[in-house]
Amino acid sequence: MKFVVFLSLFLSLIFFDPFKAITISHKFVDMHAEYTPYIMERFKLAVATGEPVNPPIWWIAPGDKIAQEVDDQFLLGDKILVAPVIVKGEQ
């Protein structure tokens, strides 16, 4: 995870509610720690094979025309899809 992705969120939360910002920061640090073993596996595979750590979603379905047009989602390896939440409260 890149801190820059969350920077504007953190700054706005710190301005309005620093305790909420700390809670959210801890959540993402914990999440990163949980996924670190898998991320490290993907780095090792990338070194060994050249396969990207964060491939586009069409990587697992190269013939899928819809997947080829998606530019706001990506994979972490071949198991985890990273996508924006566009409805408040949804996961």
Side-chain angles (χ1 to χ4, degrees), residues 55-69:
I57 63 169
W58 57 259
W59 190 265
I60 58 174
D64 186 330
K65 299 293 184 192
I66 295 172
Q68 292 175 9
E69 294 180 14

Side-chain angles (χ1 to χ4, degrees), residues 1 6 8 11 15 19 21 28 30 33 39 42 44-45 47 49 52 55-57 61 64 68 76 80 82 86-88:
M1 296 181 161
F6 302 104
S8 62
L11 290 179
F15 181 74
F19 297 106
F28 285 110
D30 291 345
I39 294 167
R42 298 309 301 186
K44 290 175 186 173
L45 184 63
V47 169
T49 67
I57 63 169
D64 186 330
Q68 292 175 9
L76 174 55
I80 300 169
V82 179
I86 56 174
V87 177
K88 187 174 183 175

Side-chain angles (χ1 to χ4, degrees), residues 2 5 10-11 13 17 23 25 34 36 46 51 59 64 71 75 78 84-85 90:
K2 291 185 178 181
V5 173
F10 284 158
L11 290 179
L13 289 174
D17 186 349
T23 300
S25 297
E34 178 184 345
T36 294
E51 185 174 322
W59 190 265
D64 186 330
D71 63 0
L75 299 167
D78 57 359
V85 175
E90 294 293 322

